[in-house]
Amino acid sequence: MKKNKLFMMLFALTALLLTSCDKDSEGLSRITYYPTIELEGDSYLVWDKGTPYQEPGYTSLMGGEDVSDQVVVTGTVDTNTSGIYRLTYTTAKNEDGFGASTTRTVVVLDPNSAIEGFYLASADSYRDYNGQTFYGRAYEILVIDNGDGTYSVDDLLGGWYCQRAGYGSAYAMEGIISIDDNGTIGLVDSYVPGWGDSAEALEGTYDAATSTLTWDVTYTDYPFVFHVILNKE
């Protein structure tokens, strides 16, 4: 009899706990829909200088509903000035505060410029350190006219660390060069973000007849000397 009473008490307590849990969790079970965004067109665009920029478009969905009209685009593209522009597309947030974003890079270039544009670092480029080690492959390099007689180069080392070694863009030697009327190239500035250092020296020439940039970059105290040959695409 005592065992029966004990069993009934345990049963009642269990029922009470289950009822309490059901009430506490009532209405809390739901589905969260996360917003998505997809760019139309490429995420990396090359745009002709002087041509008005036309946004290729984008699509944002949340729970199957089109919410593209709620996307906020930040950044601008000045098609009158050569350069690299980045646009950021941010979706609306869901009821839990989650959103999504993506970016598009637009490179504005003058198609009529003799120097500005994309180049390929020749496979015959080499690093001189305890002998010459050739690049062996061609790597794409971007040169932008700054409009004041100087040019921005996205990697003065011709892709050696950034692309050949696979270290990534932080190990490209960003730089600014000058080119005088005789085609003599001088170093204005340089910087490798990944290592926080710069070139020791740079000497080179520009051959207008072949659209070729050639220079020697002295880098670090070892020193490494990079002989870079860039041929315009």
Side-chain angles (χ1 to χ4, degrees), residues 19 34 48 65 76 81 126 138 166 180 183 196 199-200 202 205 221 224:
T19 303
Y34 293 92
D48 286 347
E65 179 184 354
T76 58
T81 304
Y126 59 83
D180 66 18
E200 299 292 326
L202 183 148
T205 58
D221 295 333
F224 295 134

Side-chain angles (χ1 to χ4, degrees), residues 167-191:
Y167 290 177
S169 59
Y171 295 91
M173 181 181 283
E174 305 165 0
I176 299 176
I177 59 173
S178 61
I179 304 177
D180 66 18
D181 293 338
N182 296 319
T184 301
I185 298 175
L187 179 64
V188 177
D189 195 14
S190 66
Y191 187 61

Side-chain angles (χ1 to χ4, degrees), residues 20 38 42 60-61 88 106 118 127 149 174 184 189 201 206:
S20 176
E38 183 175 345
D42 295 331
S60 179
L61 300 176
T88 301
V106 182
F118 288 96
R127 185 183 73 172
E174 305 165 0
T184 301
D189 195 14
Y206 167 63

